[in-house]
Amino acid sequence: MIPPGLVQFVLYMVGPVVLVNFLRGRQSKDSSVARKNRLSRADYITYGSLVGVALVHLYVGLNARPENIFRTIDAAPFQPCHVLREKLTSYAKQTPSIVPASGIPTAVEKSMKSFDSKAYYTGSKYGHLDFLVDRFCNYKEDTDVYLRFGEDVFMNSVASDFGADMISPRNTMPNGGKGANQFFAEFPDIGFLLYAVASMFFCYLPALMLIGVLTTPFTTSKFAPSRVYARPWGIIMLVTLFFSDLYWMITVPTSASTRVSNASTVWIVSPDDRSAVLFFADSATYTRHLFLALCLLAFLAMDYATSSRQTDIQLLKHAITDAASLFVASKNQTMLSVSIMMSERLRDRYVARFKQEQKAMEAVFSDAEFEEKYQKLAKQTNSKHWAERTASKAMDELGI
């Protein structure tokens, strides 16, 4: 079930953008000119890219879920160590391909100095799962860290020697936080948090780059002349989502029991029937991809609805271009009129041409049906009045 706080966050993030663009649309009176244009190849590429990346995020969120040992071996967090061992053994029997070729070592064999723990833990999937079980059995607080940050962050941040130096299991700094790392040693989860934030940023980076590329001047078209002005709105939505995600990650309690007791403060959705606040890392990843897909689709809808409107600067540029064209045409017409008046040969040819057109017009107007339709249309458009008025002004200027 979607928490009410999640719905409120969506409304707070998308509502102002929709409202501002709606009000801008009501104030704009020139959008109909641009909307008559059809979608061009640039528009299809833009919208196709947004839909494609949004579908990728939806697929990753729904199907490509992060690894989780508790979901893999069908165990619940914080179960006794012997229960986790039994679950792992049962899973190995169901999938014998994960068992290493050398077999499963006993606890006594793993405690021997000659045992190559690194090769065993990294050599097979069973060794990888066994490593996690060993960590959870030896360090109970590792389960909290694992559920908060996820398996990828946990495996890339924990000490590789499995506590051989008797360092704190929550200390992810080398040499147990000695020397230059003494400051960071005071924050036991700093290594996990930094790695998680970096991974989260790279999840947002493709969407940021996509919106940046798709809002360059090269992607503008007759249908969307103002596409470049949609970039700030897309960046605002993604940056707001990123910092909200960052805030949740930083402020969420590491202790799973504390998260469960304060479940109403976590606005995330679970990808399955498991608790969203208990399996925070998996639920946060799933919610992140859903929100990224939603942001891209919202940006697509906003671009389609607003990019066809022309700004005052664009309208002014069009007006200047049209005025320049009219000025050139008027100048050419003036030069042509002067040339005709100054040359007797041109005047004679102009009069002969006019007489030919007048005879052709008389032949056309000799048709009663055409004459009736012409008079009706001239009356509706008042064109006859404007033609007589223009002729009168021309005669006045010529002194006739």
Side-chain angles (χ1 to χ4, degrees), residues 88-99:
L88 179 59
T89 303
S90 176
Y91 177 72
K93 292 179 179 179
Q94 296 175 3
T95 55
S97 58
I98 68 171
V99 179

Side-chain angles (χ1 to χ4, degrees), residues 5-250:
L6 183 62
V7 179
Q8 294 178 8
F9 174 74
V10 174
L11 295 177
Y12 292 155
M13 183 178 66
V14 180
V17 178
V18 175
L19 179 61
V20 170
N21 283 275
F22 174 74
L23 295 177
R24 289 175 58 188
R26 290 181 61 90
Q27 296 173 359
S28 177
K29 302 299 182 182
D30 305 289
S31 59
S32 59
V33 177
R35 192 163 294 283
K36 292 180 180 179
N37 297 298
R38 295 183 177 181
L39 295 175
S40 64
R41 180 179 299 179
D43 299 317
Y44 284 114
I45 293 176
T46 299
Y47 297 145
S49 301
L50 290 172
V51 172
V53 176
L55 291 177
V56 169
H57 280 292
L58 286 176
Y59 175 81
V60 173
L62 295 174
N63 298 290
R65 300 175 184 175
E67 293 290 336
N68 188 294
I69 185 176
F70 300 106
R71 184 175 62 247
T72 301
I73 65 176
D74 192 21
F78 305 105
Q79 285 186 325
C81 186
H82 69 275
V83 176
L84 294 178
R85 296 285 182 194
E86 292 175 358
K87 293 285 187 178
L88 179 59
T89 303
S90 176
Y91 177 72
K93 292 179 179 179
Q94 296 175 3
T95 55
S97 58
I98 68 171
V99 179
S102 58
I104 301 176
T106 62
V108 177
E109 292 176 343
K110 287 192 292 184
S111 63
M112 298 176 62
K113 294 184 178 180
S114 59
F115 181 74
D116 191 353
S117 59
K118 184 176 181 180
Y120 167 66
Y121 289 136
T122 59
S124 63
K125 184 175 181 179
Y126 182 88
H128 171 79
L129 298 175
D130 196 14
F131 170 77
L132 292 174
V133 173
D134 287 343
R135 292 288 303 194
F136 299 154
C137 290
N138 286 269
Y139 308 114
K140 299 299 182 182
E141 59 269 33
D142 272 11
T143 305
D144 288 324
V145 177
Y146 181 89
L147 294 174
R148 177 187 176 187
F149 295 106
E151 183 170 311
D152 181 65
V153 175
F154 184 84
M155 292 300 299
N156 285 278
S157 302
V158 295
S160 59
D161 57 2
F162 188 55
D165 295 334
M166 300 303 293
I167 62 174
S168 172
R170 297 277 295 281
N171 185 3
T172 60
M173 294 293 117
N175 301 323
K178 298 178 181 178
N181 299 310
Q182 185 64 38
F183 173 78
F184 296 101
E186 299 179 4
F187 304 92
D189 295 335
I190 187 66
F192 298 105
L193 185 60
L194 292 177
Y195 193 94
V197 171
S199 302
M200 182 181 66
F201 173 76
F202 282 106
C203 185
Y204 285 90
L205 187 60
L208 289 169
M209 294 178 62
L210 180 66
I211 290 180
V213 171
L214 296 181
T215 52
T216 56
F218 300 102
T219 60
T220 56
S221 62
K222 292 182 178 180
F223 176 81
S226 303
R227 178 164 291 150
V228 292
Y229 298 100
R231 176 184 294 179
W233 296 108
I235 300 299
I236 287 173
M237 287 191 295
L238 289 176
V239 171
T240 302
L241 182 60
F242 172 78
F243 280 103
S244 300
D245 198 353
L246 182 63
Y247 172 79
W248 294 336
M249 180 175 293
I250 293 177

Side-chain angles (χ1 to χ4, degrees), residues 50 53-55 57-58 288-298:
L50 290 172
V53 176
L55 291 177
H57 280 292
L58 286 176
R288 183 179 306 126
H289 285 290
L290 292 185
F291 266 109
L292 282 172
L294 177 63
C295 281
L296 293 176
L297 294 178

